[in-house]
Amino acid sequence: MVDNRYATALVIGSVLSLLACVYLSAAVGTQHWYQYHSLPIRHDASNASELRTLREEFRGEEMDEKTYSDPLFRLNGTLGLWWRCVLVPDPARSHWYQEPEPKMVTECVSFTLPQQFEAKYKEPGNHNSGEDLIRTYLWRCQFLLPLVSLGLVFLSGLIGVCACLCRSLTPTSVVGVLHLLAGLCSLATVCCFLAGMDLLHRVSVLPEGLDRSLGWSLYLALISSPLQMMAAALFLWAACSHRKNYTRMTAYRVA
């Protein structure tokens, strides 16, 4: 028989864990982690070829850090863990450069799994400059850690189901530890992403008047971390308190 206090803690912890999973999954699947706001480019015939070149490089199958970072800087781009997007004139309008205010559309390209593991260089685009190990591993961690976090929560859910079937609170302590590790992974994801972006900006030539801001996807990932840690605290408290109470009851019956 589980005390009502422990049952309430388990229910609240489960709700917090579910919310954290939803937030983190939404963050991983969207591209609004980092946003750029650049000065508007004159939409005329003289710039049409330049914009076309930027767009083709951005959409190219051979991904180079410079070929997608430059369009992000200059075309009001947004960057996520698996997506990169830019704001470009509507390709359906062939003579968009003749319009005073052409219709703009968002064009997104996803990172493939092999691209996520590609090396970063000390000078973006210059493969002879040598690999930048810090930025390389920060990039890899920023997309691997949220997957680890979601995997830990899924594993803790399986253990929680087994605990319910066995009618025991003992495995709940393991669930709490897994949620604590998941919360740390979520927090580390945000830290790795921000550190990687700061290092990228230091080695890149940024356009004049470029404005940068954090996107809502990053905040979702950031919110998921304390939610997972609060769930971990509730699970650990329920498991430890129930064990102490059970030990006292056992000693009382023996006496």
Side-chain angles (χ1 to χ4, degrees):
M1 187 68 179
V2 179
D3 190 282
N4 288 336
R5 295 174 301 167
Y6 308 146
T8 303
L10 294 178
V11 171
I12 296 176
S14 300
V15 172
L16 292 176
S17 176
L18 180 60
L19 285 175
C21 282
V22 172
Y23 288 166
L24 186 58
S25 299
V28 171
T30 51
Q31 72 275 11
H32 296 279
W33 282 65
Y34 211 90
Q35 301 173 341
Y36 296 98
H37 306 280
S38 56
L39 294 176
I41 298 178
R42 291 184 297 111
H43 300 112
D44 51 28
S46 61
N47 287 328
S49 60
E50 182 181 1
L51 288 174
R52 190 177 297 110
T53 300
L54 287 173
R55 176 191 245 165
E56 290 175 355
E57 290 179 350
F58 183 77
R59 299 172 58 185
E61 295 182 0
E62 295 184 2
M63 190 201 76
D64 185 89
E65 190 176 28
K66 187 173 179 58
T67 60
Y68 74 78
S69 61
D70 283 350
L72 286 175
F73 298 155
R74 301 186 59 188
L75 301 177
N76 296 301
T78 56
L79 180 66
L81 300 185
W82 290 90
W83 292 92
R84 59 188 190 272
C85 301
V86 291
L87 196 63
V88 295
D90 189 355
R93 300 173 181 268
S94 58
H95 299 286
W96 55 265
Y97 52 86
Q98 297 178 354
E99 302 176 7
E101 294 184 0
K103 180 182 178 182
M104 307 297 287
V105 295
T106 301
E107 188 170 302
C108 297
V109 179
S110 64
F111 293 105
T112 63
L113 188 59
Q115 289 173 348
Q116 296 279 26
F117 286 97
E118 289 186 357
K120 308 297 179 185
Y121 297 94
K122 296 179 180 178
E123 296 180 10
N126 184 5
H127 293 195
N128 296 324
S129 61
E131 182 179 357
D132 191 333
L133 292 177
I134 295 178
R135 291 201 304 117
T136 297
Y137 285 100
L138 282 175
W139 183 277
R140 293 174 182 176
C141 288
Q142 77 182 22
F143 87 90
L144 286 174
L145 285 175
L147 301 181
V148 173
S149 177
L150 292 172
L152 290 173
V153 173
F154 179 75
L155 177 61
S156 67
L158 293 179
I159 295 176
V161 171
C162 295
C164 292
L165 295 176
C166 298
R167 296 182 179 181
S168 173
L169 275 179
T170 303
T172 310
S173 58
V174 179
V175 174
V177 172
L178 291 177
H179 273 80
L180 180 60
L181 294 176
L184 293 175
C185 288
S186 299
L187 182 61
T189 299
V190 176
C191 294
C192 289
F193 181 84
L194 292 177
M197 295 305 297
D198 181 66
L199 293 176
L200 172 62
H201 296 153
R202 292 184 182 183
V203 298
S204 301
V205 179
L206 302 179
E208 184 179 353
L210 180 65
D211 187 21
R212 299 165 285 173
S213 62
L214 304 179
W216 56 265
S217 299
L218 184 140
Y219 288 112
L220 285 181
L222 190 60
I223 292 172
S224 69
S225 177
L227 290 178
Q228 290 170 330
M229 292 183 181
M230 286 189 290
L234 288 172
F235 290 138
L236 290 173
W237 174 83
C240 294
S241 298
H242 178 74
R243 185 181 298 111
K244 290 180 180 178
N245 190 31
Y246 179 78
T247 303
R248 291 173 183 173
M249 291 293 294
T250 304
Y252 176 77
R253 289 177 182 176
V254 172

